[in-house]
């Protein structure tokens, strides 16, 4: 049986998406907020973060609006590997972009980081910090590639926190698609497009078995990674000898259902700003 080009592309997307999930799973972490203080605090999902190693420093990168509750005295924590307890975000260095006119909704860079103290790193367990060689320079044409969003959707994790038994289980979600130009959205946000990427996010998606299903609502993926799954056009991409490892292209910050798109800030400017901040 001769496989069509479309079938081959679908199979390659599934394979590379699965490999990307496996590679980055330990670096993509849930962020929690404490709803009720006291002897029996209640946790809720607040967003997603990505662990990176920048200039040798362990860093959690996320969206600024995910860490904003810290300014109101809300306790935030990061989920580590199974068998560990959530690690409170405190100490080290915490920086967020300054929202225009004090309004985070107008901040379309919306990025933040936490330089993690050594003790906190150990408490996270056997996590992985993304190395520099897995960070994309975003020089290749997006027209030839597919990308994957990854993170902890709130709609799929509403029952993952058992506050009564103090048990946590997390369901991580992923969505693969094309990065496209959306001039209307760029104009609406006042973006040049140089430092941002728009991931086409449809309401209907294809499951692993090729059936059409409702896509999850991506609320909660803010702060998660946009991963470059590589070239899908060249003949070499379909060779059994070609091995490709996904790279980190950007950080997801917002979803615009009207335009069917998730917005990500390219990782290059984010890393450059972190390096500058740590050297100050």
């Amino acid at each position: 049986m001769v496989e069509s080009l479309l079938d081959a592309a679908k199979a390659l997307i599934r394979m590379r998406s699965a490999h990307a999930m496996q590679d980055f799973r330990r670096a993509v972490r849930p962020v929690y907020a404490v709803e009720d203080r006291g002897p029996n605090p209640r946790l809720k999902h607040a967003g997603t973060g990505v662990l990176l190693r920048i200039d040798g420093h362990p860093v959690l990168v996320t969206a600024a609006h995910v860490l904003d509750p810290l300014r109101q005295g809300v306790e935030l924590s990061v989920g580590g590997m199974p068998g560990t307890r959530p690690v409170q975000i405190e100490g080290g260095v915490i920086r967020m972009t300054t929202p225009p006119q004090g309004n985070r909704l107008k901040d379309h860079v919306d990025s933040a980081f936490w330089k993690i103290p050594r003790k906190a790193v150990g408490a996270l367990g056997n996590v992985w910090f993304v190395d520099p060689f897995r960070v994309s320079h975003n020089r290749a044409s997006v027209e030839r590639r597919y990308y994957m969003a990854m993170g902890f959707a709130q709609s799929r994790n509403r029952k993952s926190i058992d506050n009564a038994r103090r048990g946590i289980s997390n369901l991580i979600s992923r969505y693969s698609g094309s990065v496209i130009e959306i001039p209307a959205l760029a104009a609406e946000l006042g973006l040049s497009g140089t430092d941002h990427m728009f991931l086409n996010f449809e309401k209907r998606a294809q499951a692993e078995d090729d059936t059409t299903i409702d896509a999850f609502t991506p609320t909660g993926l803010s702060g998660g990674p946009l991963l470059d799954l590589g070239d899908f056009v060249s003949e070499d991409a379909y060779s059994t000898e070609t091995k490709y490892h996904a790279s980190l292209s950007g950080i997801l910050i917002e979803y615009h259902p009207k335009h069917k798109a998730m917005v990500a800030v390219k990782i290059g400017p984010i890393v450059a700003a972190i390096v500058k901040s740590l050297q100050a």
Side-chain angles (χ1 to χ4, degrees):
M1 180 176 178
V2 178
E3 184 179 42
S4 71
L5 183 58
L6 178 59
D7 289 337
K10 288 180 179 179
L12 187 60
I13 290 173
R14 293 191 191 100
M15 181 183 71
R16 289 190 178 178
S17 296
H19 287 171
M21 173 72 86
Q22 184 177 24
D23 284 351
F24 281 83
R25 181 65 180 83
R26 291 186 297 123
V28 180
R29 312 310 315 153
V31 178
Y32 306 109
V34 174
E35 288 190 284
D36 301 311
R37 291 180 177 271
N40 297 306
R42 297 179 62 82
L43 294 179
K44 70 173 183 178
H45 272 275
T48 303
V50 185
L51 300 174
L52 279 75
R53 195 167 299 280
I54 299 176
D55 278 359
H57 301 291
V59 170
L60 173 79
V61 178
T62 186
H65 72 261
V66 173
L67 297 191
D68 273 339
L70 290 172
R71 299 183 183 277
Q72 286 75 50
V74 176
E75 181 181 311
L76 299 180
S77 58
V78 180
M81 298 301 289
T84 65
R85 294 182 177 181
V87 177
Q88 186 174 351
I89 298 177
E90 62 178 354
V93 177
I94 300 173
R95 296 285 187 273
M96 309 174 205
T97 51
T98 301
Q101 304 171 19
N103 186 348
R104 185 63 74 190
L105 294 177
K106 295 182 179 181
D107 180 12
H108 303 302
V109 178
D110 192 12
S111 303
F113 77 92
W114 176 38
K115 179 186 173 185
I116 310 175
R118 181 178 301 177
K119 184 177 180 180
V121 171
L124 289 171
N126 187 31
V127 294
W128 176 56
F129 288 84
V130 179
D131 295 309
F133 73 90
R134 295 298 292 272
V135 174
S136 174
H137 295 288
N138 288 311
R139 293 170 180 162
S141 171
V142 299
E143 297 176 357
R144 301 172 59 92
R145 315 176 85 75
Y146 281 101
Y147 294 79
M148 185 176 89
M150 183 175 171
F152 297 90
Q154 291 181 2
S155 61
R156 290 184 168 181
N157 283 281
R158 290 195 178 101
K159 297 182 180 180
S160 66
I161 302 175
D162 187 337
N163 285 289
R165 298 183 179 182
R166 300 197 177 192
I168 299 176
S169 61
N170 292 294
L171 177 63
I172 197 165
S173 300
R174 70 180 193 253
Y175 183 98
S176 300
S178 301
V179 165
I180 59 177
E181 291 187 10
I182 309 180
L185 178 55
E188 185 178 306
L189 301 179
L191 304 177
S192 67
T194 302
D195 294 332
H196 294 77
M197 305 173 80
F198 300 145
L199 176 70
N200 186 41
F201 195 101
E202 299 284 348
K203 291 183 178 180
R204 302 285 285 172
Q206 286 186 312
E208 292 291 329
D209 61 1
D210 222 22
T211 59
T212 301
I213 59 173
D214 290 331
F216 60 90
T217 301
T219 302
L221 265 67
S222 291
L226 179 66
L227 302 177
D228 180 356
L229 298 180
D231 171 34
F232 281 74
V233 174
S234 68
E235 292 183 5
D236 289 342
Y238 297 88
S239 170
T240 56
E241 297 181 0
T242 299
K243 306 298 180 184
Y244 184 83
H245 294 284
S247 58
L248 177 62
S249 278
I251 298 296
L252 304 166
I253 60 168
E254 53 194 43
Y255 169 54
H256 291 267
K258 182 178 76 171
H259 297 282
K260 300 179 181 179
M262 292 196 70
V263 180
V265 181
K266 290 182 179 179
I267 192 62
I270 292 177
V271 170
I274 294 174
V275 170
K276 184 177 179 179
S277 179
L278 293 177
Q279 291 177 343

